[in-house]
Coordinates of all heavy atoms in Angstrom, one line a residue:
A973 N 0.8 -1.2 0.0 CA 0.1 0.0 0.0 C 0.8 1.2 0.0 O 0.6 2.2 -0.8 CB -0.9 -0.1 1.2
L974 N 1.9 1.3 0.8 CA 2.8 2.4 0.9 C 3.5 2.6 -0.5 O 3.6 3.7 -1.0 CB 3.8 2.3 2.0 CG 4.8 3.4 2.1 CD1 4.1 4.7 2.5 CD2 5.9 3.0 3.2
S975 N 4.0 1.5 -1.1 CA 4.7 1.5 -2.3 C 3.7 2.2 -3.5 O 4.1 3.1 -4.2 CB 5.1 0.2 -2.8 OG 6.2 -0.3 -2.0
F976 N 2.5 1.6 -3.4 CA 1.5 2.2 -4.5 C 1.3 3.7 -4.2 O 1.2 4.4 -5.1 CB 0.1 1.4 -4.2 CG -0.9 2.0 -5.2 CD1 -1.0 1.6 -6.5 CD2 -1.9 2.7 -4.6 CE1 -1.9 2.2 -7.3 CE2 -2.9 3.2 -5.5 CZ -2.9 2.9 -6.8
L977 N 1.1 4.0 -3.0 CA 0.8 5.4 -2.6 C 2.0 6.4 -3.1 O 1.7 7.4 -3.7 CB 0.6 5.6 -1.1 CG 0.3 7.1 -0.6 CD1 -1.0 7.5 -1.1 CD2 0.2 7.0 0.9
L978 N 3.2 5.9 -2.8 CA 4.3 6.8 -3.2 C 4.5 6.8 -4.7 O 5.0 7.8 -5.3 CB 5.6 6.3 -2.5 CG 5.6 6.4 -1.0 CD1 6.9 5.8 -0.4 CD2 5.5 7.9 -0.7
R979 N 4.2 5.7 -5.4 CA 4.4 5.7 -6.9 C 3.4 6.6 -7.6 O 3.6 7.1 -8.6 CB 4.2 4.2 -7.4 CG 5.4 3.4 -7.2 CD 5.4 2.0 -7.7 NE 6.6 1.3 -7.6 CZ 6.7 0.2 -6.8 NH1 5.6 -0.3 -6.3 NH2 7.9 -0.4 -6.7
T980 N 2.2 6.7 -6.9 CA 1.1 7.6 -7.5 C 1.5 9.1 -7.6 O 0.9 9.7 -8.4 CB -0.3 7.5 -6.7 OG1 -0.1 8.0 -5.4 CG2 -0.8 6.1 -6.7
V981 N 2.4 9.4 -6.8 CA 2.9 10.8 -6.9 C 4.3 10.9 -7.6 O 5.0 11.9 -7.5 CB 3.0 11.5 -5.4 CG1 1.6 11.6 -4.9 CG2 3.9 10.7 -4.5
G982 N 4.6 9.7 -8.3 CA 5.8 9.8 -9.1 C 7.1 9.5 -8.4 O 8.2 9.7 -9.1
L983 N 7.1 8.9 -7.3 CA 8.4 8.5 -6.7 C 8.8 7.1 -7.1 O 8.0 6.3 -7.3 CB 8.2 8.6 -5.1 CG 7.9 10.1 -4.5 CD1 7.6 9.9 -3.1 CD2 9.0 11.0 -4.9
D984 N 10.1 6.9 -7.2 CA 10.6 5.6 -7.4 C 10.7 4.9 -6.1 O 11.4 5.3 -5.2 CB 12.0 5.8 -8.0 CG 12.7 4.5 -8.4 OD1 12.0 3.5 -8.6 OD2 14.0 4.4 -8.4
V985 N 10.1 3.7 -6.1 CA 10.1 2.9 -4.8 C 10.7 1.6 -5.1 O 10.4 0.9 -6.0 CB 8.5 2.8 -4.4 CG1 8.5 1.9 -3.1 CG2 7.9 4.1 -4.2
Q986 N 11.5 1.2 -4.2 CA 12.2 -0.1 -4.2 C 12.0 -0.8 -2.9 O 12.8 -0.7 -1.9 CB 13.6 0.0 -4.5 CG 13.9 0.7 -5.9 CD 15.3 1.0 -6.1 OE1 16.2 0.7 -5.4 NE2 15.6 1.6 -7.2
P987 N 10.8 -1.5 -2.8 CA 10.5 -2.2 -1.5 C 11.4 -3.4 -1.2 O 11.8 -4.1 -2.1 CB 9.0 -2.6 -1.7 CG 8.8 -2.6 -3.1 CD 9.8 -1.6 -3.7
H988 N 11.6 -3.6 0.1 CA 12.4 -4.8 0.6 C 11.6 -5.4 1.7 O 10.9 -4.8 2.4 CB 13.7 -4.4 1.0 CG 14.5 -3.7 -0.1 ND1 15.2 -4.4 -1.0 CD2 14.7 -2.4 -0.5 CE1 15.8 -3.6 -1.9 NE2 15.5 -2.4 -1.6
A989 N 11.8 -6.8 1.9 CA 11.0 -7.5 2.9 C 11.3 -7.1 4.3 O 10.4 -7.2 5.1 CB 11.3 -9.0 2.6
D990 N 12.5 -6.7 4.5 CA 12.9 -6.3 5.9 C 14.2 -5.5 5.9 O 14.7 -5.3 4.7 CB 13.0 -7.5 6.8 CG 14.0 -8.6 6.3 OD1 15.1 -8.2 5.8 OD2 13.7 -9.7 6.4
G991 N 14.7 -5.1 7.0 CA 15.8 -4.3 7.1 C 17.1 -5.0 6.6 O 18.0 -4.4 6.0
A992 N 17.2 -6.3 6.8 CA 18.3 -7.1 6.3 C 18.3 -7.1 4.9 O 19.5 -6.8 4.3 CB 18.3 -8.5 7.0
A993 N 17.2 -7.3 4.2 CA 17.1 -7.3 2.8 C 17.6 -5.9 2.1 O 18.3 -5.9 1.2 CB 15.8 -7.7 2.2
F994 N 17.1 -4.9 2.9 CA 17.5 -3.6 2.4 C 18.9 -3.3 2.5 O 19.6 -2.8 1.5 CB 16.7 -2.4 3.2 CG 17.2 -1.1 2.8 CD1 16.7 -0.6 1.6 CD2 18.0 -0.3 3.6 CE1 17.1 0.7 1.2 CE2 18.3 1.0 3.2 CZ 18.0 1.5 2.0
L995 N 19.5 -3.7 3.6 CA 21.0 -3.5 3.8 C 21.7 -4.3 2.8 O 22.8 -3.8 2.3 CB 21.4 -3.8 5.2 CG 21.0 -2.8 6.3 CD1 21.4 -3.2 7.6 CD2 21.7 -1.4 6.0
E996 N 21.3 -5.5 2.5 CA 22.0 -6.3 1.4 C 21.9 -5.6 0.1 O 22.8 -5.6 -0.7 CB 21.3 -7.7 1.3 CG 21.6 -8.5 2.6 CD 20.7 -9.7 2.7 OE1 19.9 -10.0 1.7 OE2 20.7 -10.4 3.7
A997 N 20.8 -4.8 -0.2 CA 20.7 -4.2 -1.5 C 21.3 -2.8 -1.5 O 21.6 -2.3 -2.6 CB 19.2 -4.0 -1.9
L998 N 21.5 -2.2 -0.4 CA 21.9 -0.8 -0.3 C 23.2 -0.5 -1.1 O 23.3 0.6 -1.6 CB 22.1 -0.4 1.2 CG 22.4 1.0 1.5 CD1 21.3 1.9 0.8 CD2 22.4 1.3 3.0
P999 N 24.3 -1.3 -1.2 CA 25.5 -0.9 -1.9 C 25.1 -0.5 -3.4 O 25.8 0.3 -3.9 CB 26.3 -2.1 -1.9 CG 26.0 -2.8 -0.6 CD 24.4 -2.6 -0.5
G1000 N 24.1 -1.1 -3.9 CA 23.7 -0.7 -5.3 C 22.7 0.4 -5.4 O 22.3 0.8 -6.5
L1001 N 22.4 1.0 -4.3 CA 21.3 2.0 -4.3 C 21.8 3.4 -3.8 O 22.8 3.4 -3.1 CB 20.2 1.6 -3.3 CG 19.5 0.3 -3.5 CD1 18.5 0.1 -2.4 CD2 18.7 0.4 -4.9
R1002 N 21.2 4.5 -4.2 CA 21.5 5.9 -3.8 C 20.1 6.4 -3.4 O 19.5 7.2 -4.0 CB 22.1 6.7 -4.8 CG 23.5 6.3 -5.1 CD 24.4 6.8 -3.9 NE 25.7 6.5 -4.0 CZ 26.5 6.4 -3.0 NH1 26.0 6.5 -1.8 NH2 27.8 6.0 -3.2
P1003 N 19.5 6.0 -2.2 CA 18.1 6.4 -1.9 C 18.1 7.9 -1.5 O 19.0 8.5 -0.9 CB 17.9 5.6 -0.6 CG 19.2 5.2 0.0 CD 20.1 5.1 -1.2
G1004 N 17.1 8.5 -2.0 CA 16.8 9.9 -1.6 C 16.2 10.0 -0.2 O 16.2 11.0 0.5
C1005 N 15.5 8.9 0.1 CA 14.8 8.9 1.4 C 14.5 7.4 1.7 O 14.3 6.6 0.8 CB 13.5 9.6 1.4 SG 12.5 9.5 2.9
I1006 N 14.5 6.9 2.9 CA 14.2 5.6 3.3 C 13.0 5.7 4.3 O 12.9 6.5 5.3 CB 15.4 5.0 4.1 CG1 16.6 4.9 3.2 CG2 15.0 3.6 4.7 CD1 17.9 4.6 4.0
V1007 N 12.0 4.9 4.0 CA 10.8 4.8 4.8 C 10.8 3.3 5.4 O 10.8 2.4 4.6 CB 9.5 5.1 4.1 CG1 8.3 4.9 5.1 CG2 9.5 6.4 3.5
T1008 N 10.8 3.1 6.7 CA 11.0 1.9 7.2 C 10.0 1.7 8.4 O 9.7 2.5 9.1 CB 12.4 1.6 7.8 OG1 12.5 0.3 8.2 CG2 12.8 2.6 8.9

């Protein structure tokens, strides 16, 4: 629901299952903001 909401206003969203999954993906990301 959060991903859908953010995408409706044009934001690029890359959801992850949990904090560990996000940290594993983080080296390849340059997030403008993190919502957790």
Side-chain angles (χ1 to χ4, degrees):
L974 178 64
S975 295
F976 176 79
L977 180 64
L978 294 173
R979 285 185 177 116
T980 63
V981 295
L983 296 176
D984 180 26
V985 178
Q986 298 176 4
H988 299 276
D990 55 44
F994 176 74
L995 286 174
E996 291 166 6
L998 189 56
L1001 302 175
R1002 286 288 174 206
C1005 177
I1006 299 166
V1007 180
T1008 184

